[in-house]
Amino acid sequence: MMTLQEVFWVHKPKYITRATVRQLDHQLSPNKMFVVTLLAVIPAIINAHPFDELHQYVDDHVEDYVEALRQWVAVESDSSDVTKRPDLHRMMDMTAEKLKGMGAEVEMVDIGTQELPDGTTLPLPKVVTAQIGNDSNKHTVCIYGHVDVQPAKKEDGWATDPYNLTDIDGNLYGRGASDNKAPVLAWIHAVEAYQALNLDLPVNVKFIIEGMEETGSNGLDSMIVAKRDTFFSDVDYIIISDCGWLSRRPALTYGTRGNCYFFAEVEGPKQDLHSGVYGGTVIEPMTDLIGILDSLISPSGKILVPGIREAVAPFSDEEWKMYQDIEFDVDTYKSKIGIDQLMYNNKVDLLAHRWRHPTVSIHGIEGAFSASGSKTVIPAKVIGKFSIRQVPDMDPAMVKKQVTDYLHSVFTKRKSPNKLTVTMIIGAKPWLADTKHPLYEAGIAAVKRVFQVEPDLIREGGTIPIARTFQDVTKKNIIMLPIGGFDDGLHSQNEKMSRYNYIEGTKLFISYLHEVAEIK
Ligand SMILES: NCC(=O)N[C@@H](Cc1c[nH]cn1)C(=O)O
Ligand SMILES: [Zn+2]
Ligand SMILES: [Zn+2]
């Protein structure tokens, strides 16, 4: 008859924790009914949930995790505002310290400088890389995330101070809470839980955390190319948790759109003019700009730039069927964003236009009068900012040419004396994964264990600029494993992360590390 310790090793130790066996062994060995009891407990041990201890550890540390998020959200790490660059550097330092605190081998990688529109340069935030574990018998995963945020001001319409994490009804409100500070922390806490319980990490874990994602991941592409044969040489899989679920059902994400972001500058008189004194005599830059912006897209959403729609990969029957099976309620979607009428009324069309068709969005006009009140100015120079989300098989280089040529041709027809300059400042490609890859099977298993449901397989309308670079340069397989809620309000007022998603998401990551270790 085997001892219980021997049973432990024979029956796949990965399914049961060492501590559980030690405890049972201690309790049972003096018992004369040892054999009978042993036979009775074997099925229970083998079927025991392997992560109870880890999950309990997470549940016991919820307030610590919320406090960690509070400290990170308090840093205004807005990568688009150069005046906030010291905060962004501080955020990267805090990230590095947190990883060092758990014994990781941390490096802060200098990725150079950023050139500003006025020709001056500014240091980019360093990229934090870290490594925990170096066992050649284990798989190595690399977790990517970002700790920069979109701009936010209370006066934009936030109900609370965006940089003071505020807990209301189980939701943690703050800029960057969901995008992407809580998910990065959740990964760190998942690894910490294994360490705290003295459990062997199932895989080696690397981190790559950047501070410029929200402005297009400046400088990161070249760092990845430079580190392809060093940092990435032993990486097997890349995991990204910078997206959200589509509904209350957990999801795995297998595609993102890319983004081409344009500045269209129209320059006229040498200074702003009084519209009463000069109006009617000068051809106004703003009128020109509005005219060319209006030529980009029809009221029903048809992109008017020649060649763009023709490049889009056809929507297959298989995709149509997949979309049909996804949990998504059109009315909930409408009510969440506060509108009665959408461009499309049915689920499949809506999802398709959200994920796998390009779209034009007009974001703002620099130099335009935008304050409250009624200034009667003719702005001398205005810069229209718009972007076109990219899908397979669009190519940013081609889109740049198509848009630039088209806007110039529209502008020429206006016979304006003003000067138009079109610049593409971001050209991020879309990313698409193979959902048949074992990384996705592992994701399904981990979701089932933590949430007791099958995840939806979804795409993301937003962009993670570096995803495609990871794929093209490192040739590694990537999975996106979101924990953000469908209603987190990314980039918007009142962004939040629910306690539920943050905490259960941490458990999901714990399970996922285990599932990845099982990939043959
Ligand atoms: N959470 C991902 C995200 O919000 N990404 C940004 C990145 C971007 C794209 N173009 C400029 N920034 C997004 O807007 O999708
Ligand atoms: Zn993000
Ligand atoms: Zn974002």
Side-chain angles (χ1 to χ4, degrees):
M1 174 60 67
M2 285 189 290
T3 67
L4 196 54
Q5 289 289 358
E6 284 166 336
V7 171
F8 166 69
W9 289 112
V10 169
H11 288 276
K12 296 189 176 176
K14 59 184 178 275
Y15 292 137
I16 47 179
T17 66
R18 286 169 175 75
T20 309
V21 169
R22 270 199 306 273
Q23 194 187 350
L24 286 169
D25 209 25
H26 172 72
Q27 286 167 359
L28 295 176
S29 47
N31 193 324
K32 288 188 179 143
M33 296 297 288
F34 177 75
V35 175
V36 176
T37 313
L38 185 57
L39 289 173
V41 298
I42 287 171
I45 294 170
I46 291 171
N47 292 324
H49 195 293
F51 299 107
D52 286 352
E53 270 182 285
L54 285 154
H55 290 185
Q56 188 57 53
Y57 181 88
V58 171
D59 286 333
D60 291 344
H61 290 80
V62 169
E63 294 316 317
D64 296 337
Y65 298 159
V66 171
E67 182 52 32
L69 182 59
R70 188 183 313 287
Q71 285 174 18
W72 277 25
V73 163
V75 184
E76 198 172 342
S77 49
D78 175 355
S79 53
S80 67
D81 181 348
V82 295
T83 69
K84 299 288 172 349
R85 196 50 59 90
D87 296 275
L88 190 49
H89 290 309
R90 187 156 61 89
M91 190 66 238
M92 303 320 296
D93 290 342
M94 283 167 68
T95 308
E97 286 312 309
K98 179 106 186 149
L99 287 159
K100 277 182 198 158
M102 55 200 281
E105 220 174 275
V106 177
E107 201 189 330
M108 295 196 74
V109 185
D110 189 342
I111 52 165
T113 56
Q114 175 185 10
E115 189 169 345
L116 302 179
D118 65 3
T120 59
T121 56
L122 188 70
L124 285 164
K126 294 197 167 66
V127 174
V128 179
T129 62
Q131 171 155 11
I132 300 159
N134 188 16
D135 182 341
S136 57
N137 294 316
K138 294 178 183 174
H139 291 317
T140 298
V141 299
C142 174
I143 293 155
Y144 161 84
H146 67 91
V147 288
D148 61 315
V149 298
Q150 285 278 315
K153 292 196 203 82
K154 174 92 166 63
E155 54 272 27
D156 293 340
W158 281 68
T160 58
D161 173 357
Y163 298 101
N164 180 14
L165 192 77
T166 308
D167 188 348
I168 303 171
D169 297 336
N171 287 319
L172 303 166
Y173 290 89
R175 173 54 90 225
S178 180
D179 182 11
N180 181 226
K181 289 180 175 177
V184 171
L185 281 169
W187 273 114
I188 292 175
H189 297 149
V191 174
E192 261 178 3
Y194 277 97
Q195 293 178 324
L197 293 172
N198 273 326
L199 296 170
D200 197 28
L201 255 185
V203 290
N204 304 312
V205 179
K206 289 187 169 187
F207 284 92
I208 176 160
I209 311 292
E210 68 153 322
M212 288 300 285
E213 193 273 348
E214 297 292 8
T215 51
S217 292
N218 321 37
L220 192 59
D221 287 279
S222 28
M223 184 198 130
I224 288 166
V225 172
K227 290 201 175 278
R228 183 183 48 199
D229 301 326
T230 51
F231 182 81
F232 287 102
S233 63
D234 60 350
V235 168
D236 297 297
Y237 309 117
I238 295 171
I239 310 172
I240 302 178
S241 300
D242 184 20
C243 37
W245 301 349
L246 184 66
S247 65
R248 295 195 192 283
R249 181 180 284 272
L252 307 178
T253 306
Y254 66 93
T256 52
R257 291 195 288 190
N259 201 13
C260 289
Y261 201 112
F262 290 90
F263 283 6
E265 178 185 294
V266 183
E267 200 174 357
K270 65 178 187 206
Q271 64 195 65
D272 292 354
L273 302 171
H274 186 305
S275 64
V277 176
Y278 297 98
T281 64
V282 294
I283 294 163
E284 301 187 14
M286 182 79 95
T287 315
D288 281 342
L289 179 64
I290 302 281
I292 62 167
L293 291 179
D294 189 46
S295 74
L296 289 169
I297 187 161
S298 80
S300 62
K302 185 172 152 192
I303 297 180
L304 304 174
V305 181
I308 296 233
R309 285 180 301 127
E310 290 75 357
V312 177
F315 190 44
S316 68
D317 291 347
E318 197 190 344
E319 274 180 286
W320 192 93
K321 214 187 141 332
M322 248 179 116
Y323 288 20
Q324 187 64 34
D325 292 341
I326 289 172
E327 186 169 314
F328 178 70
D329 181 56
V330 175
D331 290 330
T332 310
Y333 184 66
K334 279 190 198 163
S335 80
K336 182 63 206 157
I337 48 186
I339 46 172
D340 296 331
Q341 190 194 325
L342 295 165
M343 292 254 202
Y344 308 92
N345 290 320
N346 72 75
K347 176 170 88 171
V348 172
D349 280 340
L350 275 175
L351 293 179
H353 282 86
R354 204 171 146 174
W355 296 342
R356 53 104 60 233
H357 288 299
T359 190
V360 170
S361 297
I362 298 173
H363 306 293
I365 299 181
E366 189 177 325
F369 169 62
S370 64
S372 56
S374 52
K375 190 176 175 187
T376 53
V377 71
I378 298 172
K381 181 172 100 174
V382 280
I383 306 172
K385 302 186 178 183
F386 64 93
S387 67
I388 305 183
R389 294 283 169 175
Q390 305 292 297
V391 297
D393 300 319
M394 292 167 78
D395 169 28
M398 182 58 79
V399 170
K400 178 180 176 182
K401 181 167 173 11
Q402 288 163 335
V403 169
T404 308
D405 290 353
Y406 175 67
L407 287 184
H408 277 289
S409 78
V410 173
F411 190 74
T412 303
K413 287 193 194 116
R414 298 181 67 87
K415 301 194 185 334
S416 171
N418 297 324
K419 183 174 165 233
L420 170 69
T421 312
V422 180
T423 327
M424 187 173 90
I425 60 148
I426 297 174
K429 291 180 179 173
W431 164 81
L432 208 51
D434 172 12
T435 56
K436 304 278 184 293
H437 190 275
L439 274 179
Y440 282 83
E441 275 171 40
I444 293 169
V447 167
K448 275 186 178 162
R449 178 178 294 115
V450 175
F451 297 99
Q452 289 82 49
V453 292
E454 286 259 348
D456 272 330
L457 287 172
I458 64 170
R459 283 165 78 156
E460 168 70 46
T463 306
I464 296 169
I466 212 61
R468 182 64 178 270
T469 309
F470 278 138
Q471 195 170 55
D472 291 350
V473 175
T474 70
K475 314 280 183 219
K476 312 291 177 182
N477 281 94
I478 304 171
I479 184 170
M480 294 200 188
L481 188 60
I483 60 167
F486 73 95
D487 55 353
D488 281 357
L490 316 181
H491 295 203
S492 181
Q493 294 90 346
N494 305 317
E495 177 181 350
K496 58 96 176 146
M497 180 82 187
S498 72
R499 276 176 174 259
Y500 174 77
N501 281 50
Y502 187 23
I503 299 308
E504 298 309 302
T506 305
K507 294 176 190 171
L508 175 67
F509 293 164
I510 285 171
S511 284
Y512 193 63
L513 292 177
H514 165 79
E515 294 299 338
V516 172
E518 297 293 292
I519 296 176
K520 296 289 175 262

